[in-house]
Amino acid sequence: MARSRRCPAAGTTAATLLLLYLAQLGTGLKCVCQLCTNKTCETGADGACWNSVMLIDGKEEAVKSCLSPSEMKGQVFCYSSRNVSKRNCCFTDFCNNETLRLYPESPPRAPGWSKLELAAVLLVPLCLLCVGALLGVCTAHAKRCGRRRPHKHDAEDPPDDQSLMSPNKCLKDLIFDMSTSGSGSGLPLLVQRTIARTIVLQEIVGKGRYGEVWRGKWRGEDVAVKIFSSRDERSWFREAEIYQTILLRHENILGFIAADNKDNGSWTQLWLVSEYHEHGSLFDHLNRYAVSVDAMLLLALSIASGLAHLHMEIIGTQGKPAIAHRDLKSKNILVKKNGTAAVADLGLAVKHDSVTNSIDIPSNHRVGTKRYMAPEILDETINISNFELFKRADMYSLGLVFWELARRCSVRGIYEDYQLPYYDMVPSDPSIEDMRRIVCEQKLRPNIPNQWQSCEALRVMGKIMRECWYANGAARLTALRVKKTVSQVAVVPDVKD
Ligand code: ADP
Ligand code: MG
């Protein structure tokens, strides 16, 4: 814990300070608080006044506030760094009223301990609790994150691990840093590990093929943590690897934050940390709510944009390979607060190396979710060495997702109940054979209701679906084409993150 470098007025003994502190235990403290309306806050019983100075964008920034007992107890991480931050907790009214400085170093003074230093020594065990101080500063900074543009690093001078983890960083800053850290599309591994190990898990929000997804807290902000069982290590590694593909980051692809593998002696915990989206999956969302025409188009446009970015190859030394998802469905798409969507669950994705014309992992014919499998996957006629065919199979699945979405679109108060594709043709857990029979043999597709013709947006959506469902993959629309067609009918609002 950093100690104050200023000397308080003479005359008070360390014992008096200790007594004062003890007397105040159990009652609240009044502290200086810059962010509070009357510049004062009260801590409640067993809290502390908190004083800090940090280097932000090359400038010293002091933060003074109150710490609640829970903040002091909070499981927090502190990348304590000389010349980067200094923190001080104290336990008397307005004791944080002094301004800490990082520079210049305080002038040399006569030997001997000041009263405050003496008090600090006596209070060291108590001050250890103040590690919780970080939680306070992070909350304050998290608030500021929305307003402040992150510092733009010089491209030739990537931020080091220390500056990446400085306590003033919030998620937005870190995500911005990922594009400037010179490590592809992800943060340095040490930073990822540090983030993952300071997350406090809160509640389970989803279950999928590989384990549980939790909502967790990191520096006061929500994050999603996908926890894989140790036997699924390959899936964990694969998904983390895909998310860290250079230039993958996109507003309509789930924002990856960190991967961590922690051996606790008996088993290995495998975590994948990403941005958290409180509305959950598109499947959950559509089950709960009907959507307006504009909301439907915004979702459709953003899903197509995410998929188009995934499919796109960007040529160059720092280019992006084309990626096929291979498990596109409403449960693998998340709905963001601003009404747009993010494509998620990249665990089965494959990358294309256009130089060698190879796919990066040995593939088998059938992966993904049976209900959403394209006809050529169901009947195993797909040529798995031709990467283009995987993209076409994604387009078939996209058509099914659009169908789920369009059914829930409310026009003049009329909409349908939520249903999975082929709900009326196959059992609830269909086998490959069930699906093959109706999709390949009988060539059936989900029903497109007549009333969709009376609404321009639904008519366009219906046409897109049909053109995604052709048995001949080569005839299907591309993601880019779908994106362009939807954008012609959608009035795109000025969406903010
Ligand atoms: P799996 O690979 O096991 O299928 P997913 O990544 O698809 O795991 O996640 C399973 C479910 O967890 C999703 O359908 C969704 O309900 C929820 N979920 C996943 N990621 C997030 C997130 N970032 N924010 C909110 N909910 C999420
Ligand atoms: Mg999934």
PDB file of all heavy atoms in Angstrom, residues 205-211 213 224 226 239 254 274-278 280-281 284 331-332 334 344-345, ligand 1:
ATOM      1  N   VAL A 205     -25.559 -17.972 -16.726  1.00  0.00           N
ATOM      2  CA  VAL A 205     -26.520 -17.355 -17.659  1.00  0.00           C
ATOM      3  C   VAL A 205     -26.826 -18.245 -18.843  1.00  0.00           C
ATOM      4  O   VAL A 205     -27.735 -17.965 -19.617  1.00  0.00           O
ATOM      5  CB  VAL A 205     -26.032 -15.974 -18.158  1.00  0.00           C
ATOM      6  CG1 VAL A 205     -25.988 -14.964 -17.039  1.00  0.00           C
ATOM      7  CG2 VAL A 205     -24.662 -16.073 -18.840  1.00  0.00           C
ATOM      8  N   GLY A 206     -26.069 -19.283 -19.020  1.00  0.00           N
ATOM      9  CA  GLY A 206     -26.349 -20.149 -20.173  1.00  0.00           C
ATOM     10  C   GLY A 206     -25.607 -21.459 -20.100  1.00  0.00           C
ATOM     11  O   GLY A 206     -24.609 -21.591 -19.379  1.00  0.00           O
ATOM     12  N   LYS A 207     -26.147 -22.407 -20.799  1.00  0.00           N
ATOM     13  CA  LYS A 207     -25.479 -23.700 -20.921  1.00  0.00           C
ATOM     14  C   LYS A 207     -25.453 -24.052 -22.386  1.00  0.00           C
ATOM     15  O   LYS A 207     -26.415 -23.817 -23.102  1.00  0.00           O
ATOM     16  CB  LYS A 207     -26.258 -24.769 -20.159  1.00  0.00           C
ATOM     17  CG  LYS A 207     -25.860 -24.852 -18.712  1.00  0.00           C
ATOM     18  CD  LYS A 207     -26.446 -26.081 -18.081  1.00  0.00           C
ATOM     19  CE  LYS A 207     -26.092 -26.061 -16.674  1.00  0.00           C
ATOM     20  NZ  LYS A 207     -26.113 -26.516 -15.652  1.00  0.00           N
ATOM     21  N   GLY A 208     -24.373 -24.633 -22.823  1.00  0.00           N
ATOM     22  CA  GLY A 208     -24.294 -25.024 -24.226  1.00  0.00           C
ATOM     23  C   GLY A 208     -23.637 -26.378 -24.321  1.00  0.00           C
ATOM     24  O   GLY A 208     -23.654 -27.158 -23.375  1.00  0.00           O
ATOM     25  N   ARG A 209     -23.039 -26.599 -25.447  1.00  0.00           N
ATOM     26  CA  ARG A 209     -22.412 -27.878 -25.730  1.00  0.00           C
ATOM     27  C   ARG A 209     -21.253 -28.175 -24.777  1.00  0.00           C
ATOM     28  O   ARG A 209     -21.032 -29.307 -24.380  1.00  0.00           O
ATOM     29  CB  ARG A 209     -21.879 -27.759 -27.159  1.00  0.00           C
ATOM     30  CG  ARG A 209     -21.290 -28.971 -27.765  1.00  0.00           C
ATOM     31  CD  ARG A 209     -20.529 -28.556 -29.021  1.00  0.00           C
ATOM     32  NE  ARG A 209     -21.302 -27.644 -29.872  1.00  0.00           N
ATOM     33  CZ  ARG A 209     -21.826 -28.006 -31.039  1.00  0.00           C
ATOM     34  NH1 ARG A 209     -21.654 -29.224 -31.490  1.00  0.00           N
ATOM     35  NH2 ARG A 209     -22.485 -27.128 -31.755  1.00  0.00           N
ATOM     36  N   TYR A 210     -20.496 -27.143 -24.405  1.00  0.00           N
ATOM     37  CA  TYR A 210     -19.234 -27.394 -23.700  1.00  0.00           C
ATOM     38  C   TYR A 210     -19.225 -27.066 -22.215  1.00  0.00           C
ATOM     39  O   TYR A 210     -18.206 -27.193 -21.568  1.00  0.00           O
ATOM     40  CB  TYR A 210     -18.112 -26.607 -24.370  1.00  0.00           C
ATOM     41  CG  TYR A 210     -17.873 -27.089 -25.768  1.00  0.00           C
ATOM     42  CD1 TYR A 210     -18.048 -26.252 -26.848  1.00  0.00           C
ATOM     43  CD2 TYR A 210     -17.496 -28.407 -25.991  1.00  0.00           C
ATOM     44  CE1 TYR A 210     -17.846 -26.713 -28.143  1.00  0.00           C
ATOM     45  CE2 TYR A 210     -17.295 -28.872 -27.268  1.00  0.00           C
ATOM     46  CZ  TYR A 210     -17.469 -28.022 -28.334  1.00  0.00           C
ATOM     47  OH  TYR A 210     -17.270 -28.477 -29.599  1.00  0.00           O
ATOM     48  N   GLY A 211     -20.285 -26.614 -21.674  1.00  0.00           N
ATOM     49  CA  GLY A 211     -20.239 -26.292 -20.252  1.00  0.00           C
ATOM     50  C   GLY A 211     -21.113 -25.104 -19.950  1.00  0.00           C
ATOM     51  O   GLY A 211     -22.124 -24.880 -20.624  1.00  0.00           O
ATOM     52  N   VAL A 213     -21.945 -20.960 -19.074  1.00  0.00           N
ATOM     53  CA  VAL A 213     -21.555 -19.572 -19.289  1.00  0.00           C
ATOM     54  C   VAL A 213     -22.045 -18.771 -18.086  1.00  0.00           C
ATOM     55  O   VAL A 213     -23.207 -18.879 -17.687  1.00  0.00           O
ATOM     56  CB  VAL A 213     -22.133 -19.007 -20.610  1.00  0.00           C
ATOM     57  CG1 VAL A 213     -21.766 -17.546 -20.782  1.00  0.00           C
ATOM     58  CG2 VAL A 213     -21.632 -19.814 -21.800  1.00  0.00           C
ATOM     59  N   ALA A 224     -18.688 -11.961 -19.592  1.00  0.00           N
ATOM     60  CA  ALA A 224     -19.207 -13.333 -19.691  1.00  0.00           C
ATOM     61  C   ALA A 224     -18.022 -14.285 -19.590  1.00  0.00           C
ATOM     62  O   ALA A 224     -16.960 -14.021 -20.156  1.00  0.00           O
ATOM     63  CB  ALA A 224     -19.928 -13.527 -21.024  1.00  0.00           C
ATOM     64  N   LYS A 226     -17.127 -18.243 -20.196  1.00  0.00           N
ATOM     65  CA  LYS A 226     -17.528 -19.571 -20.657  1.00  0.00           C
ATOM     66  C   LYS A 226     -16.535 -20.559 -20.040  1.00  0.00           C
ATOM     67  O   LYS A 226     -15.325 -20.444 -20.265  1.00  0.00           O
ATOM     68  CB  LYS A 226     -17.468 -19.593 -22.184  1.00  0.00           C
ATOM     69  CG  LYS A 226     -17.923 -20.872 -22.830  1.00  0.00           C
ATOM     70  CD  LYS A 226     -18.221 -20.570 -24.299  1.00  0.00           C
ATOM     71  CE  LYS A 226     -18.336 -21.782 -25.154  1.00  0.00           C
ATOM     72  NZ  LYS A 226     -18.640 -21.445 -26.554  1.00  0.00           N
ATOM     73  N   GLU A 239     -11.460 -22.300 -29.693  1.00  0.00           N
ATOM     74  CA  GLU A 239     -12.305 -21.097 -29.702  1.00  0.00           C
ATOM     75  C   GLU A 239     -11.469 -19.853 -29.395  1.00  0.00           C
ATOM     76  O   GLU A 239     -11.617 -18.814 -30.042  1.00  0.00           O
ATOM     77  CB  GLU A 239     -13.476 -21.247 -28.715  1.00  0.00           C
ATOM     78  CG  GLU A 239     -14.505 -20.159 -28.917  1.00  0.00           C
ATOM     79  CD  GLU A 239     -15.868 -20.438 -28.303  1.00  0.00           C
ATOM     80  OE1 GLU A 239     -16.063 -21.520 -27.720  1.00  0.00           O
ATOM     81  OE2 GLU A 239     -16.731 -19.555 -28.413  1.00  0.00           O
ATOM     82  N   LEU A 254     -18.929 -11.401 -31.306  1.00  0.00           N
ATOM     83  CA  LEU A 254     -18.745 -11.292 -29.851  1.00  0.00           C
ATOM     84  C   LEU A 254     -17.315 -10.850 -29.521  1.00  0.00           C
ATOM     85  O   LEU A 254     -16.351 -11.414 -30.030  1.00  0.00           O
ATOM     86  CB  LEU A 254     -19.056 -12.653 -29.190  1.00  0.00           C
ATOM     87  CG  LEU A 254     -18.849 -12.693 -27.671  1.00  0.00           C
ATOM     88  CD1 LEU A 254     -19.764 -11.720 -26.956  1.00  0.00           C
ATOM     89  CD2 LEU A 254     -19.078 -14.111 -27.144  1.00  0.00           C
ATOM     90  N   SER A 274     -15.482 -12.988 -22.352  1.00  0.00           N
ATOM     91  CA  SER A 274     -15.905 -12.124 -23.456  1.00  0.00           C
ATOM     92  C   SER A 274     -16.800 -11.013 -22.923  1.00  0.00           C
ATOM     93  O   SER A 274     -17.155 -11.003 -21.742  1.00  0.00           O
ATOM     94  CB  SER A 274     -16.671 -12.943 -24.503  1.00  0.00           C
ATOM     95  OG  SER A 274     -17.846 -13.441 -23.922  1.00  0.00           O
ATOM     96  N   GLU A 275     -17.190 -10.121 -23.800  1.00  0.00           N
ATOM     97  CA  GLU A 275     -18.141  -9.084 -23.411  1.00  0.00           C
ATOM     98  C   GLU A 275     -19.453  -9.764 -23.027  1.00  0.00           C
ATOM     99  O   GLU A 275     -19.820 -10.783 -23.610  1.00  0.00           O
ATOM    100  CB  GLU A 275     -18.368  -8.131 -24.584  1.00  0.00           C
ATOM    101  CG  GLU A 275     -17.171  -7.245 -24.830  1.00  0.00           C
ATOM    102  CD  GLU A 275     -17.336  -6.338 -26.039  1.00  0.00           C
ATOM    103  OE1 GLU A 275     -18.096  -6.686 -26.960  1.00  0.00           O
ATOM    104  OE2 GLU A 275     -16.693  -5.310 -26.069  1.00  0.00           O
ATOM    105  N   TYR A 276     -20.136  -9.158 -22.076  1.00  0.00           N
ATOM    106  CA  TYR A 276     -21.391  -9.747 -21.599  1.00  0.00           C
ATOM    107  C   TYR A 276     -22.569  -9.007 -22.232  1.00  0.00           C
ATOM    108  O   TYR A 276     -22.579  -7.782 -22.297  1.00  0.00           O
ATOM    109  CB  TYR A 276     -21.458  -9.628 -20.071  1.00  0.00           C
ATOM    110  CG  TYR A 276     -22.768 -10.102 -19.519  1.00  0.00           C
ATOM    111  CD1 TYR A 276     -23.068 -11.454 -19.491  1.00  0.00           C
ATOM    112  CD2 TYR A 276     -23.714  -9.187 -19.039  1.00  0.00           C
ATOM    113  CE1 TYR A 276     -24.287 -11.896 -19.006  1.00  0.00           C
ATOM    114  CE2 TYR A 276     -24.930  -9.623 -18.548  1.00  0.00           C
ATOM    115  CZ  TYR A 276     -25.210 -10.977 -18.537  1.00  0.00           C
ATOM    116  OH  TYR A 276     -26.415 -11.411 -18.065  1.00  0.00           O
ATOM    117  N   HIS A 277     -23.540  -9.780 -22.696  1.00  0.00           N
ATOM    118  CA  HIS A 277     -24.746  -9.166 -23.275  1.00  0.00           C
ATOM    119  C   HIS A 277     -25.976  -9.632 -22.498  1.00  0.00           C
ATOM    120  O   HIS A 277     -26.351 -10.804 -22.559  1.00  0.00           O
ATOM    121  CB  HIS A 277     -24.851  -9.505 -24.764  1.00  0.00           C
ATOM    122  CG  HIS A 277     -23.691  -8.962 -25.541  1.00  0.00           C
ATOM    123  ND1 HIS A 277     -23.444  -7.600 -25.619  1.00  0.00           N
ATOM    124  CD2 HIS A 277     -22.684  -9.565 -26.210  1.00  0.00           C
ATOM    125  CE1 HIS A 277     -22.344  -7.397 -26.323  1.00  0.00           C
ATOM    126  NE2 HIS A 277     -21.859  -8.565 -26.691  1.00  0.00           N
ATOM    127  N   GLU A 278     -26.542  -8.694 -21.756  1.00  0.00           N
ATOM    128  CA  GLU A 278     -27.576  -9.056 -20.780  1.00  0.00           C
ATOM    129  C   GLU A 278     -28.853  -9.598 -21.429  1.00  0.00           C
ATOM    130  O   GLU A 278     -29.611 -10.296 -20.779  1.00  0.00           O
ATOM    131  CB  GLU A 278     -27.887  -7.857 -19.874  1.00  0.00           C
ATOM    132  CG  GLU A 278     -28.510  -6.694 -20.621  1.00  0.00           C
ATOM    133  CD  GLU A 278     -28.548  -5.432 -19.775  1.00  0.00           C
ATOM    134  OE1 GLU A 278     -27.539  -5.124 -19.135  1.00  0.00           O
ATOM    135  OE2 GLU A 278     -29.604  -4.768 -19.782  1.00  0.00           O
ATOM    136  N   GLY A 280     -28.943 -11.813 -23.610  1.00  0.00           N
ATOM    137  CA  GLY A 280     -28.715 -13.228 -23.912  1.00  0.00           C
ATOM    138  C   GLY A 280     -28.761 -13.520 -25.401  1.00  0.00           C
ATOM    139  O   GLY A 280     -28.527 -12.640 -26.238  1.00  0.00           O
ATOM    140  N   SER A 281     -29.114 -14.759 -25.714  1.00  0.00           N
ATOM    141  CA  SER A 281     -29.077 -15.174 -27.118  1.00  0.00           C
ATOM    142  C   SER A 281     -30.317 -14.684 -27.868  1.00  0.00           C
ATOM    143  O   SER A 281     -31.347 -14.357 -27.267  1.00  0.00           O
ATOM    144  CB  SER A 281     -28.988 -16.691 -27.214  1.00  0.00           C
ATOM    145  OG  SER A 281     -30.210 -17.254 -26.777  1.00  0.00           O
ATOM    146  N   ASP A 284     -33.234 -16.759 -26.866  1.00  0.00           N
ATOM    147  CA  ASP A 284     -33.892 -16.314 -25.625  1.00  0.00           C
ATOM    148  C   ASP A 284     -34.754 -15.077 -25.893  1.00  0.00           C
ATOM    149  O   ASP A 284     -35.889 -14.977 -25.431  1.00  0.00           O
ATOM    150  CB  ASP A 284     -32.849 -15.937 -24.556  1.00  0.00           C
ATOM    151  CG  ASP A 284     -31.991 -17.115 -24.142  1.00  0.00           C
ATOM    152  OD1 ASP A 284     -32.479 -18.257 -24.234  1.00  0.00           O
ATOM    153  OD2 ASP A 284     -30.822 -16.896 -23.744  1.00  0.00           O
ATOM    154  N   LYS A 331     -29.239 -19.680 -30.996  1.00  0.00           N
ATOM    155  CA  LYS A 331     -28.618 -19.774 -29.662  1.00  0.00           C
ATOM    156  C   LYS A 331     -27.161 -19.312 -29.683  1.00  0.00           C
ATOM    157  O   LYS A 331     -26.563 -19.102 -28.629  1.00  0.00           O
ATOM    158  CB  LYS A 331     -28.680 -21.221 -29.149  1.00  0.00           C
ATOM    159  CG  LYS A 331     -30.064 -21.621 -28.713  1.00  0.00           C
ATOM    160  CD  LYS A 331     -30.098 -23.006 -28.105  1.00  0.00           C
ATOM    161  CE  LYS A 331     -31.534 -23.358 -27.768  1.00  0.00           C
ATOM    162  NZ  LYS A 331     -31.750 -24.751 -27.473  1.00  0.00           N
ATOM    163  N   ASN A 332     -26.594 -19.196 -30.866  1.00  0.00           N
ATOM    164  CA  ASN A 332     -25.197 -18.763 -30.967  1.00  0.00           C
ATOM    165  C   ASN A 332     -25.068 -17.327 -31.467  1.00  0.00           C
ATOM    166  O   ASN A 332     -24.025 -16.916 -31.949  1.00  0.00           O
ATOM    167  CB  ASN A 332     -24.411 -19.708 -31.892  1.00  0.00           C
ATOM    168  CG  ASN A 332     -24.141 -21.037 -31.192  1.00  0.00           C
ATOM    169  OD1 ASN A 332     -24.225 -21.121 -29.972  1.00  0.00           O
ATOM    170  ND2 ASN A 332     -23.831 -22.063 -31.968  1.00  0.00           N
ATOM    171  N   LEU A 334     -25.914 -13.360 -30.071  1.00  0.00           N
ATOM    172  CA  LEU A 334     -26.288 -12.618 -28.866  1.00  0.00           C
ATOM    173  C   LEU A 334     -26.910 -11.286 -29.246  1.00  0.00           C
ATOM    174  O   LEU A 334     -26.570 -10.715 -30.290  1.00  0.00           O
ATOM    175  CB  LEU A 334     -25.050 -12.385 -27.995  1.00  0.00           C
ATOM    176  CG  LEU A 334     -24.384 -13.681 -27.528  1.00  0.00           C
ATOM    177  CD1 LEU A 334     -23.012 -13.397 -26.936  1.00  0.00           C
ATOM    178  CD2 LEU A 334     -25.265 -14.428 -26.534  1.00  0.00           C
ATOM    179  N   ALA A 344     -21.675 -15.346 -32.085  1.00  0.00           N
ATOM    180  CA  ALA A 344     -20.851 -15.905 -31.000  1.00  0.00           C
ATOM    181  C   ALA A 344     -20.591 -17.393 -31.232  1.00  0.00           C
ATOM    182  O   ALA A 344     -20.972 -17.940 -32.268  1.00  0.00           O
ATOM    183  CB  ALA A 344     -21.564 -15.688 -29.665  1.00  0.00           C
ATOM    184  N   ASP A 345     -19.963 -18.005 -30.249  1.00  0.00           N
ATOM    185  CA  ASP A 345     -19.650 -19.441 -30.253  1.00  0.00           C
ATOM    186  C   ASP A 345     -18.898 -19.866 -31.517  1.00  0.00           C
ATOM    187  O   ASP A 345     -19.436 -20.559 -32.384  1.00  0.00           O
ATOM    188  CB  ASP A 345     -20.949 -20.261 -30.099  1.00  0.00           C
ATOM    189  CG  ASP A 345     -20.628 -21.708 -29.704  1.00  0.00           C
ATOM    190  OD1 ASP A 345     -19.431 -22.070 -29.677  1.00  0.00           O
ATOM    191  OD2 ASP A 345     -21.575 -22.464 -29.429  1.00  0.00           O
TER     192      ASP A 345
HETATM  193  P1  ADP B   1     -21.547 -23.514 -26.212  1.00  0.00           P
HETATM  194  O1  ADP B   1     -20.300 -23.536 -27.036  1.00  0.00           O
HETATM  195  O2  ADP B   1     -21.423 -24.378 -25.004  1.00  0.00           O
HETATM  196  O3  ADP B   1     -22.782 -23.747 -27.041  1.00  0.00           O
HETATM  197  P2  ADP B   1     -22.159 -20.689 -26.215  1.00  0.00           P
HETATM  198  O4  ADP B   1     -20.979 -19.792 -26.425  1.00  0.00           O
HETATM  199  O5  ADP B   1     -23.037 -20.927 -27.394  1.00  0.00           O
HETATM  200  O6  ADP B   1     -21.668 -22.056 -25.574  1.00  0.00           O
HETATM  201  O7  ADP B   1     -23.048 -20.100 -25.013  1.00  0.00           O
HETATM  202  C1  ADP B   1     -24.160 -20.807 -24.503  1.00  0.00           C
HETATM  203  C2  ADP B   1     -25.252 -19.826 -24.078  1.00  0.00           C
HETATM  204  O8  ADP B   1     -24.736 -18.949 -23.055  1.00  0.00           O
HETATM  205  C3  ADP B   1     -25.723 -18.902 -25.192  1.00  0.00           C
HETATM  206  O9  ADP B   1     -26.758 -19.496 -25.942  1.00  0.00           O
HETATM  207  C4  ADP B   1     -26.216 -17.703 -24.415  1.00  0.00           C
HETATM  208  O10 ADP B   1     -27.522 -17.951 -23.892  1.00  0.00           O
HETATM  209  C5  ADP B   1     -25.249 -17.633 -23.226  1.00  0.00           C
HETATM  210  N1  ADP B   1     -24.112 -16.730 -23.523  1.00  0.00           N
HETATM  211  C6  ADP B   1     -22.967 -17.059 -24.150  1.00  0.00           C
HETATM  212  N2  ADP B   1     -22.140 -16.014 -24.253  1.00  0.00           N
HETATM  213  C7  ADP B   1     -22.772 -14.964 -23.687  1.00  0.00           C
HETATM  214  C8  ADP B   1     -22.443 -13.572 -23.502  1.00  0.00           C
HETATM  215  N3  ADP B   1     -21.288 -13.083 -23.920  1.00  0.00           N
HETATM  216  N4  ADP B   1     -23.343 -12.777 -22.886  1.00  0.00           N
HETATM  217  C9  ADP B   1     -24.523 -13.284 -22.464  1.00  0.00           C
HETATM  218  N5  ADP B   1     -24.904 -14.576 -22.607  1.00  0.00           N
HETATM  219  C10 ADP B   1     -24.045 -15.418 -23.218  1.00  0.00           C
END
